[in-house]
Amino acid sequence: TADGAVFTWGEGEDACLGHGEDLSNQLLPKKVEAFAGQRVVALSAGESHSLAITADGAVFTWGEGEDACLGHGEDLSNQLLPKKVEAFAGQRVVALSAGESHSLAITADGAVF
């Protein structure tokens, strides 16, 4: 939304909607409460994972972690809620994209990950 709120809906399997323990299908848009107090400026959705950039250039990911597409290193577990990708500490991410089982990001200095 204009104020940076995030809403998700559809199939809740693999936690790809970001509603915590609620893995049920969402028939209507439901606010992702984990972003309360933050302004999300960009989103991308893959097959079973989602990515977000906040106004300060931080990246958050959630959903299925099996293929390492969430960017949390050795932690390949599913993330039920958006979790900050610490690998981008000190960098400002300006664009991202989620594929079927991979993710891409571009930082303000033009580096591609």
Side-chain angles (χ1 to χ4, degrees), residues 1-82:
T1 63
D3 65 351
V6 175
F7 291 80
T8 59
W9 61 96
E11 185 178 323
E13 188 178 345
D14 298 322
C16 58
L17 298 180
H19 299 297
E21 297 291 330
D22 181 0
L23 302 180
S24 62
N25 293 346
Q26 298 298 319
L27 302 179
L28 297 169
K30 181 177 177 180
K31 188 174 185 176
V32 178
E33 297 296 340
F35 286 117
Q38 297 189 61
R39 182 167 161 42
V40 174
V41 297
L43 293 164
S44 185
E47 181 176 3
S48 297
H49 71 293
S50 300
L51 318 171
I53 301 175
T54 55
D56 62 356
V59 174
F60 288 79
T61 63
W62 63 97
E64 185 178 325
E66 182 178 302
D67 295 317
C69 57
L70 300 180
H72 300 298
E74 297 294 321
D75 181 1
L76 302 181
S77 63
N78 290 358
Q79 297 299 318
L80 303 180
L81 295 167

Side-chain angles (χ1 to χ4, degrees), residues 92-94 106-111:
R92 182 177 181 80
V93 173
V94 296
I106 301 172
T107 60
D109 63 2

